[in-house]
Amino acid sequence: MFSEFLQYLFTGITIGATYALIALGFTLIYNASHVINFAQGEFLMIGGMATVSLTAMGVPMLLAIILAVVLAGVLGIALQRLAIAPAKNADVVTLIIITIGASIFIRGLAQLVWGKEYHVMANFSSDEPIQIFGAVLNSQSLWVLGVGAVLVAILVYFFTRTLTGKAILATSMNKDAARLVGIRTQMVLMLAFMVSALLGSIAGVVVAPITFTSYDIGIILGLKGFVAAAIGGLGNGMGAVVGGLALGVVEAMSAGYLSSDYKDAVAFSMILVVLFFMPRGLFGAKVVERV
Amino acid sequence: MLKTMMRRASKVATVAAAGLLAMSVQAADPIRIGSFLSVTGPASFLGDPELKTLEMYVDKINEDGGVIGRPLELVHYDDAGNASNARNFASRLIRSDRVDIIVGGSTTGATMAAVPMVEQAKIPFISLAGAVVITTPVKKWVFKTPQSDRMAAERVLADMKSRGLTKIGLISGTGGFGSSGREQTLAVAKEMGIEILADETYSGSDTDMTAQLTSIRSNKDVQAILNFGFGQGPAIVTRNYAQLGIKRPFYQSHGVASDGFLELAGSSAEGLRLPASPLLVPDSLPDSDPQKAVVQAYKSDYEARWNAKVSTFGAYAYDGLMLAVAAIEKAGSTDKAAVRDALESIQGHVGVTGTFNMSPDDHNGLTADSFRILEVHNGGWKLVN
């Protein structure tokens, strides 16, 4: 009985950590620009697919990962420069629609370059699962959790201790005021897109050995990541992490104890319940509209 | 000025007339085989090898002198996996191309969209799609070459029974293939006296099925587990199965009987069994197997011509074309009603997919035995029986 519970918990936390990493990417761009970047899932896909194709070409794993992440970063900058920046004064909804268009474009490109097949990536460390109280844990899950924790720590440090991080926060709070004190807001936006692309691609690389990877893996994982971000309160890093983990655990528990048919229904009704009682999400900031 | 124009015009007219003449000579002769396939789009993994197979064998048959002394001519369209395109193309094949027989329809959707046109026009149609609905109930003019998922379920459950496994757990994808397979398995299990104690599902985009498998594993009476699904889902199920260290016998469906699946699932697939076309193991078939020569020839021909791995889907097109040819030879003409009657009476036609025995109540002509049970052994396929 207990071992089953533990198994569901492990499964949930592993999936949840993935959702959390994607949710963090959403949060970052939302903070800097109030745009919800629906191309976030595509960064995840780029990370996984580029690593797989580079290793297939004989590039050592570590180098392949670094190159894939850099590629995603460059793509993040390109997205901001070529798609978001030209629409400077458009309202947020227009920008969001642009990101949806960009995601379709990137996916199409990936399909042309890499084809439609699913690809495998080897586990970072051993293939042997770890036994804990009768439940098993994929060693890759530890990588997902570990990398996730490190990334969160780095982000916290970046936003509270570095000038650049503070500049991003300042831009999100008041763009005009930030510009007045000498922050180059376009630069900050570009940075936000780059960092969230890096984040997404790293998530894509660490989860690829568990989920496989293909050109369209970003659609559903991106959507789940968005749900996680919304549950946690858009724009709150802590909320993204808690929202992601909660979503993953609820999914696994309902698949295990209720019925696998209702798994996604339970997860998506969770967002309804949370937003009904706490419209700004679990950790959302209280915002007072000034009239 | 006028003169040169006149001269030019007469030249053009001569060329055009010559062309027309040449065309009418050709048009009088060939047997026109029509086809609509999903060569591009989401089902291109079906349509692409099917078209390659048709093109290759039409050429080959023509080199060998054609059928009943007439060459074959292939008229094909790409429906891109879209059922309404398929309907339009079927109508074009019938009305404007005036084909003698249709061999095509990569997906069940495309096939069913074309069925009303075919029935109305009274033209023999050999479909390359899998679902039971295509030939059950029997439609007068419609035949098909792939086995249905019901036969796959029968084959798997029969193998389980022969190993004394009568209480099983089922996990299936919620996509079209998985859910139809699930229904057929439930129905067949009831008839064969096999109890299904657990019935779990997963959606096509799920990335972890550990929870479902844990839930099945916790039922101590489950002796074996069957996964009915398509795409990457079954590969993830296989990996989770191995990670959880479940030791009970594991079965997959014919939906993943390809080398691509072995690549994805890796060493976790070791020991699992599935029903598959003999095309996966052409060299391990016993010499007494009548299909052996056909299967080996198709595989080597295809791979030599296209420099790509042969696929079971292309084999459906091979069987479709060969059945059409056999029927036309038997009928001795391309009279549609005669060809249809000949198709319906084909017995013991050895194809790549199986041995076809058509009858008025069976327009598929295959039995569950045409599936071979394969086991994954040292990262390759091993023929069990």
Side-chain angles (χ1 to χ4, degrees):
Chain A
M1 212 42 222
F2 177 67
S3 73
E4 275 158 41
F5 174 78
L6 213 58
Q7 188 65 60
Y8 299 143
L9 194 68
F10 286 164
T11 305
I13 289 177
T14 308
I15 308 176
T18 319
Y19 296 162
L21 282 179
I22 305 163
L24 273 176
F26 275 107
T27 305
L28 209 65
I29 290 181
Y30 180 81
N31 266 345
S33 62
H34 286 266
V35 169
I36 294 160
N37 173 28
F38 278 105
Q40 192 62 33
E42 266 48 59
F43 294 141
L44 182 106
M45 176 273 291
I46 296 281
M49 290 299 288
T51 309
V52 167
S53 67
L54 285 171
T55 41
M57 283 192 275
V59 181
M61 183 83 161
L62 191 64
L63 188 63
I65 293 175
I66 293 170
L67 287 176
V69 171
V70 169
L71 173 69
V74 171
L75 212 69
I77 295 175
L79 173 63
Q80 200 276 332
R81 287 279 87 182
L82 303 177
I84 305 287
K88 236 180 243 167
N89 295 319
D91 46 314
V92 170
V93 178
T94 316
L95 294 180
I96 292 176
I97 294 170
I98 291 177
T99 67
I100 296 178
S103 81
I104 296 172
F105 176 73
I106 297 174
R107 211 179 304 140
L109 217 57
Q111 184 190 333
L112 280 180
V113 177
W114 289 312
K116 285 188 281 192
E117 295 85 29
Y118 273 79
H119 298 272
V120 235
M121 196 197 288
N123 270 6
F124 291 2
S125 40
S126 101
D127 270 334
E128 278 303 303
I130 302 155
Q131 300 272 350
I132 305 167
F133 298 118
V136 289
L137 186 62
N138 186 341
S139 66
Q140 189 66 25
S141 302
L142 294 178
W143 277 100
V144 175
L145 292 174
V147 168
V150 170
L151 286 179
V152 170
I154 292 176
L155 279 183
V156 168
Y157 178 83
F158 178 68
F159 278 113
T160 55
R161 296 277 186 274
T162 67
L163 206 56
T164 330
K166 286 178 182 169
I168 293 184
L169 281 185
T171 309
S172 82
M173 283 165 190
N174 192 323
K175 210 170 173 178
D176 295 330
R179 202 175 293 153
L180 280 177
V181 297
I183 295 169
R184 290 159 67 197
T185 50
Q186 278 300 320
M187 200 63 191
V188 162
L189 267 183
M190 202 173 89
L191 201 68
F193 270 86
M194 187 192 78
V195 174
S196 89
L198 295 180
L199 211 61
S201 59
I202 294 174
V205 174
V206 290
V207 301
I210 300 180
T211 60
F212 298 135
T213 184
S214 82
Y215 80 101
D216 62 354
I217 189 105
I219 304 176
I220 192 75
L221 284 177
L223 196 64
K224 291 277 175 68
F226 171 65
V227 170
I231 290 175
L234 267 176
N236 185 302
M238 193 61 202
V241 173
V242 174
L245 290 175
L247 185 66
V249 171
V250 166
E251 267 188 17
M253 292 289 169
S254 47
Y257 288 117
L258 275 171
S259 156
S260 38
D261 291 337
Y262 299 126
K263 183 172 62 78
D264 285 340
V266 170
F268 285 114
S269 24
M270 192 166 106
I271 186 175
L272 286 181
V273 174
V274 169
L275 294 186
F276 191 70
F277 291 106
M278 306 169 86
R280 303 215 147 261
L282 294 172
F283 292 83
K286 286 194 179 63
V287 176
V288 185
E289 279 297 324
R290 265 167 292 202
V291 187
Chain B
M1 185 69 196
L2 193 75
K3 242 181 188 171
T4 48
M5 265 179 71
M6 288 273 281
R7 208 177 292 154
R8 256 185 219 160
S10 69
K11 255 186 202 164
V12 170
T14 325
V15 171
L20 265 174
L21 212 70
M23 264 170 65
S24 66
V25 167
Q26 263 180 2
D29 244 350
I31 298 172
R32 295 166 78 84
I33 298 195
S35 187
F36 56 95
L37 298 165
S38 310
V39 182
T40 59
S44 60
F45 66 100
L46 302 170
D48 183 57
E50 286 164 358
L51 178 61
K52 284 180 171 156
T53 303
L54 289 182
E55 283 179 335
M56 166 179 156
Y57 280 96
V58 163
D59 287 352
K60 207 171 156 66
I61 290 169
N62 286 341
E63 275 165 29
D64 297 346
V67 180
I68 51 169
R70 294 164 62 185
L72 298 182
E73 185 190 337
L74 180 66
V75 186
H76 67 86
Y77 296 104
D78 175 13
D79 64 36
N82 178 324
S84 82
N85 285 347
R87 191 185 152 85
N88 291 338
F89 288 138
S91 152
R92 197 188 292 180
L93 285 172
I94 295 166
R95 297 222 173 93
S96 76
D97 298 319
R98 302 194 163 275
V99 296
D100 297 303
I101 184 166
I102 300 179
V103 179
S106 305
T107 65
T108 300
T111 297
M112 294 310 281
V115 161
M117 322 286 308
V118 166
E119 288 280 293
Q120 197 188 6
K122 303 196 191 319
I123 176 167
F125 173 34
I126 304 176
S127 165
L128 314 179
V132 183
V133 287
I134 298 170
T135 48
T136 316
V138 173
K139 297 168 191 68
K140 193 171 174 202
W141 297 88
V142 183
F143 299 79
K144 79 177 178 104
T145 53
Q147 304 98 335
S148 58
D149 38 11
R150 187 182 175 88
M151 289 176 207
E154 280 172 12
R155 193 71 184 86
V156 166
L157 295 185
D159 189 64
M160 286 177 171
K161 228 175 161 178
S162 71
R163 294 166 88 186
L165 309 166
T166 54
K167 294 185 169 108
I168 66 162
L170 179 64
I171 176 167
S172 53
T174 51
F177 182 83
S179 61
S180 162
R182 176 180 165 272
E183 279 168 33
Q184 300 302 331
T185 307
L186 292 177
V188 172
K190 203 174 268 173
E191 289 166 19
M192 295 179 69
I194 286 182
E195 264 182 278
I196 295 186
L197 299 178
D199 180 12
E200 295 284 340
T201 60
Y202 57 87
S203 81
S205 55
D206 281 2
T207 54
D208 190 305
M209 287 65 153
T210 317
Q212 287 92 324
L213 288 172
T214 306
S215 166
I216 297 179
R217 179 179 66 170
S218 65
N219 189 332
K220 298 278 180 257
D221 293 332
V222 169
Q223 295 167 318
I225 298 176
L226 166 63
N227 177 204
F228 226 113
F230 190 76
Q232 91 288 9
I236 297 181
V237 172
T238 307
R239 303 227 307 190
N240 292 159
Y241 200 88
Q243 276 156 14
L244 287 172
I246 306 178
K247 297 287 176 236
R248 297 167 226 183
F250 186 38
Y251 285 81
Q252 286 280 357
S253 74
H254 59 305
V256 295
S258 72
D259 293 336
F261 168 75
L262 283 187
E263 227 164 83
L264 282 184
S267 60
S268 339
E270 209 56 33
L272 72 77
R273 288 187 175 190
L274 48 69
S277 156
L279 194 54
L280 286 180
V281 285
D283 300 328
S284 18
L285 294 173
D287 288 330
S288 60
D289 193 319
Q291 274 179 268
K292 183 166 185 166
V294 182
V295 171
Q296 277 179 332
Y298 173 64
K299 186 179 155 80
S300 61
D301 284 355
Y302 186 95
E303 289 179 352
R305 166 82 186 261
W306 300 106
N307 199 16
K309 277 210 91 125
V310 73
S311 97
T312 42
F313 310 118
Y316 299 149
Y318 173 86
D319 290 339
L321 182 66
M322 292 307 163
L323 281 171
V325 166
I328 292 170
E329 270 172 355
K330 199 169 173 187
S333 75
T334 51
D335 177 65
K336 295 186 178 72
V339 171
R340 191 212 79 91
D341 292 343
L343 255 180
E344 198 169 65
S345 62
I346 281 182
Q347 290 293 316
H349 175 93
V350 180
V352 175
T353 314
T355 301
F356 292 86
N357 290 304
M358 299 284 184
S359 76
D361 335 307
D362 183 4
H363 278 194
N364 179 204
L366 293 174
T367 58
D369 292 333
S370 57
F371 277 120
R372 307 298 196 277
I373 290 285
L374 306 185
E375 190 172 285
V376 179
H377 190 70
N378 290 337
W381 304 108
K382 196 183 116 196
L383 184 70
V384 176
N385 61 40

